[in-house]
Amino acid sequence: MTWASIDLNADLGEGFGHWRLTDDEQLLSVVTSANVACGFHAGDASTMRRVCALAAERSVRIGAQVSYRDLAGFGRRSMDVPPDELAAETAYQIGALEVFARAAGSRVSYVKPHGALYNRVVHDEEQAAAVVEGVLLSGERLPLLGLPGSKLHTLAEKAGLPVITEAFADRAYTAEGTLVPRGQEGAVLADASQVVERSVSMARFGVITSRCGRSVPVRARSLCLHGDTPGAVTLARRVRARLEAAGVRVEAFV
């Protein structure tokens, strides 16, 4: 499937206290959707408030990037959280970000799991159901951003929640269409030109080449540009410019 337009999203607000990981201000001049850390893997009240204000100024959509409670591991350690607890913590994170989004004159427009939780809800029905329950508990029928064919999307659709398919231009894919785990060599692509061209292939043709060389359909409505990689801002600008040059409109999905 191809799209006449594509959304660009990035993980932002990934700091804590005086420590900052992402160049939020510069990335918000490129992306159309901002996945804002809600305090469980990164982020704090001041950071969330600042990023929401910047996003609102630039008409960038604000998304709650919900995570396992794992500041020390940056949300990248898989955890066996009881479903009721995970649902409550998902709703808690959405609610926290909503306060600052509304204060900035905007609102939380979607939800995206982060890190280990993102990968877990691709296959784990129990954890995926808990995230969906958490979104419903928040009181808003928010779209869920994630991998095509994931348990998360299947259960979200059953619950009447919109789903948005996502792809990653800078991550290696398996032949099954899932992401190669970060702990494996070559999981994150370092060649900027390769990332740029993969972005165009995803947006225009809906396919990507897996690590084993097989063409894999991705059907992405949104492309994720990681903000915590070296040269992230420059790469994001190159991706957007190349997409627009290829005739792809870059615009938010909501």
Side-chain angles (χ1 to χ4, degrees), residues 171-178 180 186 189 194 198 201 207-217:
R171 291 292 304 276
Y173 276 74
T174 68
E176 293 73 36
T178 58
V180 173
L189 306 182
Q194 182 184 15
R198 279 161 61 98
S201 177
V207 295
I208 194 170
T209 302
S210 70
R211 186 169 60 171
C212 67
R214 182 183 301 175
S215 292
V216 176

Side-chain angles (χ1 to χ4, degrees), residues 52-53 56-57 62 98-108:
C52 284
E57 287 175 5
I62 296 170
E98 180 70 8
V99 169
F100 300 113
R102 287 190 179 275
S106 185
R107 58 170 296 180
V108 172

Side-chain angles (χ1 to χ4, degrees), residues 19-39:
W19 175 71
R20 293 187 184 181
L21 178 63
T22 51
D23 189 341
D24 299 325
E25 187 164 3
Q26 293 301 315
L27 284 167
L28 283 167
S29 68
V30 180
V31 301
T32 46
S33 296
N35 318 315
V36 184
C38 299

Side-chain angles (χ1 to χ4, degrees), residues 91-169:
Y92 179 94
Q93 292 174 79
I94 296 168
L97 188 65
E98 180 70 8
V99 169
F100 300 113
R102 287 190 179 275
S106 185
R107 58 170 296 180
V108 172
S109 297
Y110 65 96
V111 176
K112 175 184 174 178
H114 166 80
L117 182 58
Y118 186 97
N119 292 320
R120 184 77 172 266
V121 297
V122 172
H123 302 293
D124 190 316
E125 186 167 347
E126 184 178 69
Q127 296 281 281
V131 172
V132 171
E133 182 184 347
V135 175
L136 296 172
L137 185 61
S138 75
E140 300 290 340
R141 306 192 72 80
L142 297 170
L144 275 156
L145 181 61
L147 281 184
S150 63
K151 293 290 186 183
L152 179 69
H153 276 185
T154 298
L155 294 174
E157 288 180 323
K158 286 182 178 179
L161 297 176
V163 299
I164 306 298
T165 54
E166 177 182 39
F168 297 78

